[in-house]
Amino acid sequence: MRVTAEEIADGLRRLGLDKTSTVIVHSSLSSFGYVDGGAEAVCQALTSVCGTLLLPGGSWDLTGIPAPPGIARPNNAYEPAACWAEFDKKLSQATSFRMDLPVDRWLGVIPETFRRTRSPLRTAHPLFSYQAIGPDAERLLAAQRLDWPLGPIEALDGDVLLIGVDHTSNTTIHLAEQLLGMSRFYRYAKGPDNTWMELPNISGESHRFDAIEPALRSVTKEVHIGRSRVRRIPKDAVLAATTRLVLDNPAALLCTDNPECRCAAALNQRLAFV
Ligand SMILES: [Zn+2]
């Protein structure tokens, strides 16, 4: 299976996307099979078809650090460093956020290629930066604060685009949880000049998020491009479905069989709110 930028663009148009569209993109390059031109071809297709594109731009792998010793945050599912010497060592090994840091590899190769080749605007959140281009880019990115990392998704008036990934990559589900006051974790990053920062409202675990799929099937548009299953879902429908599922059952979209998983801490947070 071999696909070109033009075939990817055709597929996006079959989803009804055009220059009036605003989408948050979660993506897997390998999902297509072989793409002529690789991730750059996918970026080209996205920018040639869509209006405003929002992509993750996080740099956790370089900027993230353990919690400082002794800090007490209930239901936070994050081990503090054993001692200050260990914490200081991790802090010295980490990198302060800069606009030219690469995007984390676990977000897929497309966001990093987008950053390098499209010169998007980018936010300065030390762990979970976002990047965007298009007419609404500036407004979306302005909605991110250090204490509200998912602001750009909240501000987005449009759709979630899942390119060869499932709902475990769908960060809008986390936004719905957070708007309910749930799955709000604290994480830590290296700040400027060897300082450390505590950052609130970091998302929880998502490995069970694909259980939302039946609730969204009726509003999902879907095409296949090469081997990739590409889906377009209205953002507001994701928020509504998540809210309904979680209010019906606090354990919805979480695993309940592993006390070590961040899901257990998220469940405790949810139970405190319902
Ligand atoms: Zn879990």
Side-chain angles (χ1 to χ4, degrees):
M1 191 67 77
R2 186 185 183 100
V3 295
T4 63
E6 194 41 51
E7 285 165 339
I8 296 169
D10 281 346
L12 297 175
R13 286 188 206 101
R14 277 187 279 133
L15 285 172
L17 294 170
D18 61 26
K19 284 292 169 189
T20 68
S21 305
T22 297
V23 289
I24 175 161
V25 182
H26 304 288
S27 56
S28 159
L29 177 63
S30 62
S31 70
F32 288 100
Y34 181 83
V35 179
D36 259 344
E40 160 56 21
V42 181
C43 293
Q44 189 188 324
L46 285 166
T47 48
S48 70
V49 172
C50 299
T52 300
L53 293 160
L54 178 67
L55 276 79
S59 58
W60 171 291
D61 287 349
L62 292 167
T63 55
I65 57 173
I71 200 157
R73 292 290 187 189
N75 297 318
N76 200 33
Y78 200 55
E79 279 298 303
C83 61
W84 282 105
E86 183 192 315
F87 180 81
D88 287 345
K89 182 170 172 222
K90 298 282 187 190
L91 183 63
S92 71
Q93 289 167 346
T95 306
S96 304
F97 180 80
R98 300 188 315 265
M99 288 295 179
D100 64 347
L101 284 190
V103 178
D104 282 337
R105 199 54 206 256
W106 54 272
L107 293 164
V109 67
I110 291 168
E112 169 59 7
T113 304
F114 184 78
R115 183 192 71 80
R116 281 191 288 101
T117 63
R118 304 288 144 180
S119 303
L121 300 173
R122 189 179 190 184
T123 63
H125 192 285
L127 294 174
F128 292 110
S129 167
Y130 276 90
Q131 45 179 347
I133 56 170
D136 212 17
E138 208 165 329
R139 189 187 67 84
L140 296 188
L141 297 183
Q144 190 185 55
R145 303 189 315 251
L146 285 179
D147 64 350
W148 192 236
L150 301 185
I153 303 178
E154 187 178 27
L156 182 139
D157 185 13
D159 297 270
V160 174
L161 187 61
L162 301 178
I163 301 180
V165 296
D166 64 21
H167 289 284
T168 61
S169 300
N170 186 353
T171 315
T172 303
I173 297 173
H174 284 307
L175 173 63
E177 292 182 298
Q178 295 209 345
L179 291 171
L180 287 165
M182 303 165 178
S183 285
R184 293 174 171 230
F185 293 92
Y186 295 89
R187 294 295 181 263
Y188 303 84
K190 182 168 185 162
D193 303 323
N194 217 36
T195 57
W196 60 270
M197 304 169 74
E198 181 180 65
L199 295 149
N201 297 324
I202 303 297
S203 302
E205 185 55 62
S206 59
H207 69 114
R208 289 288 170 88
F209 278 8
D210 212 36
I212 200 173
E213 197 269 341
L216 291 172
R217 206 168 286 155
S218 65
V219 293
T220 300
K221 290 180 183 165
E222 177 172 333
V223 294
H224 280 80
I225 307 173
R227 287 203 185 93
S228 187
R229 180 188 188 195
V230 182
R231 288 177 282 177
R232 174 187 180 185
I233 310 120
K235 184 202 89 176
D236 287 347
V238 176
L239 293 180
T242 306
T243 303
R244 199 169 60 242
L245 288 170
V246 171
L247 291 179
D248 279 358
N249 172 12
L253 310 176
L254 299 175
C255 75
T256 52
D257 49 6
N258 176 9
E260 302 302 311
C261 185
R262 201 158 34 151
C263 292
L267 179 59
N268 284 337
Q269 289 188 28
R270 289 180 180 185
L271 291 172
F273 273 88
V274 293

Short mmCIF file of all heavy atoms in Angstrom, two decimals, residues 10-45:
data_model
loop_
_atom_site.label_atom_id
_atom_site.label_comp_id
_atom_site.label_asym_id
_atom_site.label_seq_id
_atom_site.Cartn_x
_atom_site.Cartn_y
_atom_site.Cartn_z
N ASP A 10 -7.33 14.12 -0.90
CA ASP A 10 -8.65 13.66 -1.38
C ASP A 10 -9.46 13.04 -0.26
O ASP A 10 -10.66 13.29 -0.13
CB ASP A 10 -8.47 12.62 -2.50
CG ASP A 10 -8.15 13.26 -3.83
OD1 ASP A 10 -8.32 14.49 -3.94
OD2 ASP A 10 -7.71 12.53 -4.73
N GLY A 11 -8.79 12.23 0.55
CA GLY A 11 -9.47 11.57 1.67
C GLY A 11 -10.01 12.60 2.66
O GLY A 11 -11.14 12.48 3.15
N LEU A 12 -9.20 13.62 2.94
CA LEU A 12 -9.64 14.66 3.89
C LEU A 12 -10.85 15.41 3.32
O LEU A 12 -11.80 15.72 4.04
CB LEU A 12 -8.49 15.63 4.18
CG LEU A 12 -7.26 15.00 4.88
CD1 LEU A 12 -6.14 16.04 4.99
CD2 LEU A 12 -7.62 14.47 6.26
N ARG A 13 -10.83 15.65 2.00
CA ARG A 13 -11.99 16.33 1.37
C ARG A 13 -13.23 15.44 1.44
O ARG A 13 -14.34 15.93 1.61
CB ARG A 13 -11.66 16.68 -0.08
CG ARG A 13 -10.70 17.85 -0.21
CD ARG A 13 -10.55 18.31 -1.66
NE ARG A 13 -9.25 18.95 -1.83
CZ ARG A 13 -8.19 18.38 -2.38
NH1 ARG A 13 -8.24 17.15 -2.87
NH2 ARG A 13 -7.03 19.04 -2.46
N ARG A 14 -13.04 14.13 1.31
CA ARG A 14 -14.20 13.22 1.42
C ARG A 14 -14.81 13.25 2.81
O ARG A 14 -15.97 12.90 2.99
CB ARG A 14 -13.78 11.77 1.06
CG ARG A 14 -13.76 11.50 -0.44
CD ARG A 14 -13.52 10.02 -0.73
NE ARG A 14 -12.10 9.69 -0.64
CZ ARG A 14 -11.60 8.64 0.01
NH1 ARG A 14 -12.40 7.80 0.65
NH2 ARG A 14 -10.29 8.42 0.03
N LEU A 15 -14.03 13.67 3.81
CA LEU A 15 -14.58 13.85 5.16
C LEU A 15 -15.33 15.18 5.28
O LEU A 15 -15.87 15.50 6.34
CB LEU A 15 -13.46 13.82 6.20
CG LEU A 15 -12.86 12.46 6.52
CD1 LEU A 15 -11.64 12.63 7.42
CD2 LEU A 15 -13.88 11.55 7.19
N GLY A 16 -15.35 15.95 4.19
CA GLY A 16 -16.05 17.23 4.20
C GLY A 16 -15.18 18.38 4.68
O GLY A 16 -15.68 19.49 4.92
N LEU A 17 -13.88 18.13 4.86
CA LEU A 17 -13.00 19.19 5.35
C LEU A 17 -12.67 20.16 4.22
O LEU A 17 -12.49 19.75 3.07
CB LEU A 17 -11.71 18.59 5.92
CG LEU A 17 -11.92 17.73 7.18
CD1 LEU A 17 -10.65 16.97 7.54
CD2 LEU A 17 -12.37 18.60 8.36
N ASP A 18 -12.59 21.44 4.56
CA ASP A 18 -12.19 22.47 3.59
C ASP A 18 -11.59 23.66 4.34
O ASP A 18 -11.31 23.56 5.54
CB ASP A 18 -13.39 22.89 2.72
CG ASP A 18 -14.52 23.49 3.55
OD1 ASP A 18 -14.26 24.04 4.65
OD2 ASP A 18 -15.68 23.42 3.11
N LYS A 19 -11.40 24.75 3.64
CA LYS A 19 -10.69 25.90 4.23
C LYS A 19 -11.47 26.58 5.37
O LYS A 19 -10.94 27.44 6.07
CB LYS A 19 -10.34 26.92 3.14
CG LYS A 19 -9.16 26.48 2.28
CD LYS A 19 -7.87 26.49 3.11
CE LYS A 19 -6.72 25.82 2.40
NZ LYS A 19 -5.55 25.66 3.30
N THR A 20 -12.74 26.19 5.53
CA THR A 20 -13.50 26.74 6.67
C THR A 20 -13.34 25.85 7.91
O THR A 20 -13.88 26.16 8.97
CB THR A 20 -15.01 26.85 6.34
OG1 THR A 20 -15.55 25.52 6.21
CG2 THR A 20 -15.26 27.64 5.07
N SER A 21 -12.62 24.74 7.78
CA SER A 21 -12.55 23.75 8.86
C SER A 21 -11.44 24.06 9.85
O SER A 21 -10.33 24.44 9.46
CB SER A 21 -12.28 22.35 8.28
OG SER A 21 -13.24 22.02 7.31
N THR A 22 -11.75 23.85 11.13
CA THR A 22 -10.76 23.92 12.20
C THR A 22 -10.71 22.54 12.85
O THR A 22 -11.74 22.03 13.28
CB THR A 22 -11.16 24.98 13.24
OG1 THR A 22 -11.18 26.26 12.60
CG2 THR A 22 -10.18 25.00 14.40
N VAL A 23 -9.52 21.94 12.91
CA VAL A 23 -9.41 20.58 13.46
C VAL A 23 -8.21 20.46 14.40
O VAL A 23 -7.18 21.10 14.19
CB VAL A 23 -9.26 19.50 12.36
CG1 VAL A 23 -10.56 19.33 11.59
CG2 VAL A 23 -8.12 19.79 11.42
N ILE A 24 -8.39 19.64 15.43
CA ILE A 24 -7.24 19.19 16.20
C ILE A 24 -6.87 17.82 15.66
O ILE A 24 -7.72 16.94 15.50
CB ILE A 24 -7.49 19.15 17.72
CG1 ILE A 24 -6.28 18.53 18.43
CG2 ILE A 24 -8.79 18.44 18.11
CD1 ILE A 24 -6.18 18.83 19.90
N VAL A 25 -5.58 17.64 15.37
CA VAL A 25 -5.10 16.46 14.66
C VAL A 25 -4.31 15.55 15.60
O VAL A 25 -3.35 15.99 16.23
CB VAL A 25 -4.19 16.86 13.47
CG1 VAL A 25 -3.75 15.61 12.70
CG2 VAL A 25 -4.89 17.85 12.55
N HIS A 26 -4.75 14.28 15.69
CA HIS A 26 -3.97 13.24 16.35
C HIS A 26 -3.65 12.20 15.28
O HIS A 26 -4.56 11.78 14.55
CB HIS A 26 -4.78 12.61 17.48
CG HIS A 26 -5.26 13.61 18.50
ND1 HIS A 26 -4.41 14.22 19.39
CD2 HIS A 26 -6.49 14.12 18.73
CE1 HIS A 26 -5.10 15.05 20.16
NE2 HIS A 26 -6.37 15.02 19.78
N SER A 27 -2.40 11.77 15.18
CA SER A 27 -2.02 11.09 13.95
C SER A 27 -0.95 10.03 14.13
O SER A 27 -0.14 10.08 15.05
CB SER A 27 -1.48 12.14 12.96
OG SER A 27 -0.42 12.87 13.56
N SER A 28 -0.98 9.08 13.19
CA SER A 28 0.06 8.06 13.10
C SER A 28 0.49 7.94 11.64
O SER A 28 -0.33 7.58 10.78
CB SER A 28 -0.48 6.71 13.59
OG SER A 28 0.30 5.65 13.08
N LEU A 29 1.74 8.26 11.34
CA LEU A 29 2.23 8.16 9.96
C LEU A 29 2.21 6.71 9.47
O LEU A 29 1.81 6.42 8.35
CB LEU A 29 3.65 8.72 9.87
CG LEU A 29 4.32 8.63 8.50
CD1 LEU A 29 3.56 9.46 7.47
CD2 LEU A 29 5.79 9.06 8.58
N SER A 30 2.62 5.79 10.35
CA SER A 30 2.74 4.39 9.91
C SER A 30 1.37 3.78 9.62
O SER A 30 1.29 2.75 8.93
CB SER A 30 3.48 3.56 10.96
OG SER A 30 2.76 3.55 12.17
N SER A 31 0.30 4.40 10.09
CA SER A 31 -1.04 3.84 9.85
C SER A 31 -1.37 3.78 8.37
O SER A 31 -2.20 2.98 7.95
CB SER A 31 -2.10 4.67 10.58
OG SER A 31 -2.25 5.95 9.99
N PHE A 32 -0.74 4.64 7.55
CA PHE A 32 -1.09 4.70 6.12
C PHE A 32 -0.53 3.51 5.33
O PHE A 32 -1.01 3.22 4.25
CB PHE A 32 -0.53 5.98 5.49
CG PHE A 32 -1.24 7.23 5.90
CD1 PHE A 32 -0.72 8.06 6.88
CD2 PHE A 32 -2.44 7.59 5.30
CE1 PHE A 32 -1.37 9.22 7.25
CE2 PHE A 32 -3.10 8.76 5.67
CZ PHE A 32 -2.57 9.58 6.66
N GLY A 33 0.51 2.85 5.86
CA GLY A 33 1.33 2.00 5.01
C GLY A 33 2.51 2.85 4.60
O GLY A 33 3.11 3.55 5.43
N TYR A 34 2.82 2.90 3.30
CA TYR A 34 3.94 3.74 2.84
C TYR A 34 3.41 5.04 2.26
O TYR A 34 2.55 5.04 1.40
CB TYR A 34 4.77 2.98 1.78
CG TYR A 34 5.94 3.80 1.30
CD1 TYR A 34 7.13 3.82 2.02
CD2 TYR A 34 5.83 4.58 0.15
CE1 TYR A 34 8.19 4.61 1.60
CE2 TYR A 34 6.89 5.35 -0.29
CZ TYR A 34 8.07 5.37 0.46
OH TYR A 34 9.12 6.14 0.04
N VAL A 35 3.93 6.17 2.77
CA VAL A 35 3.51 7.47 2.24
C VAL A 35 4.66 8.06 1.41
O VAL A 35 5.76 8.25 1.93
CB VAL A 35 3.15 8.45 3.37
CG1 VAL A 35 2.76 9.81 2.80
CG2 VAL A 35 2.04 7.90 4.24
N ASP A 36 4.38 8.34 0.16
CA ASP A 36 5.35 9.05 -0.69
C ASP A 36 5.63 10.41 -0.08
O ASP A 36 4.72 11.23 0.04
CB ASP A 36 4.72 9.29 -2.09
CG ASP A 36 5.20 8.31 -3.11
OD1 ASP A 36 6.22 7.64 -2.85
OD2 ASP A 36 4.54 8.19 -4.16
N GLY A 37 6.86 10.65 0.33
CA GLY A 37 7.17 11.93 0.95
C GLY A 37 7.02 11.93 2.47
O GLY A 37 7.26 12.96 3.11
N GLY A 38 6.58 10.82 3.04
CA GLY A 38 6.55 10.66 4.50
C GLY A 38 5.67 11.68 5.21
O GLY A 38 4.66 12.15 4.67
N ALA A 39 6.08 12.03 6.42
CA ALA A 39 5.27 12.92 7.26
C ALA A 39 5.07 14.28 6.60
O ALA A 39 4.02 14.91 6.77
CB ALA A 39 5.94 13.10 8.62
N GLU A 40 6.05 14.72 5.83
CA GLU A 40 5.93 16.02 5.13
C GLU A 40 4.74 16.00 4.17
O GLU A 40 4.01 17.00 4.05
CB GLU A 40 7.25 16.31 4.41
CG GLU A 40 7.20 17.32 3.29
CD GLU A 40 6.66 18.70 3.67
OE1 GLU A 40 6.66 19.03 4.87
OE2 GLU A 40 6.21 19.42 2.77
N ALA A 41 4.50 14.87 3.54
CA ALA A 41 3.37 14.78 2.61
C ALA A 41 2.04 14.88 3.37
O ALA A 41 1.07 15.47 2.87
CB ALA A 41 3.44 13.46 1.83
N VAL A 42 2.00 14.30 4.57
CA VAL A 42 0.77 14.39 5.38
C VAL A 42 0.54 15.84 5.79
O VAL A 42 -0.59 16.36 5.71
CB VAL A 42 0.86 13.48 6.62
CG1 VAL A 42 -0.43 13.56 7.43
CG2 VAL A 42 1.16 12.03 6.22
N CYS A 43 1.61 16.53 6.21
CA CYS A 43 1.49 17.95 6.59
C CYS A 43 1.01 18.78 5.40
O CYS A 43 0.17 19.68 5.55
CB CYS A 43 2.83 18.48 7.09
SG CYS A 43 3.36 17.74 8.64
N GLN A 44 1.55 18.46 4.23
CA GLN A 44 1.16 19.18 3.01
C GLN A 44 -0.33 18.99 2.73
O GLN A 44 -1.06 19.94 2.42
CB GLN A 44 1.99 18.67 1.85
CG GLN A 44 1.87 19.47 0.57
CD GLN A 44 2.58 18.76 -0.57
OE1 GLN A 44 3.63 18.14 -0.37
NE2 GLN A 44 2.00 18.85 -1.76
N ALA A 45 -0.80 17.75 2.86
CA ALA A 45 -2.23 17.46 2.62
C ALA A 45 -3.10 18.21 3.61
O ALA A 45 -4.10 18.83 3.26
CB ALA A 45 -2.48 15.95 2.70
#
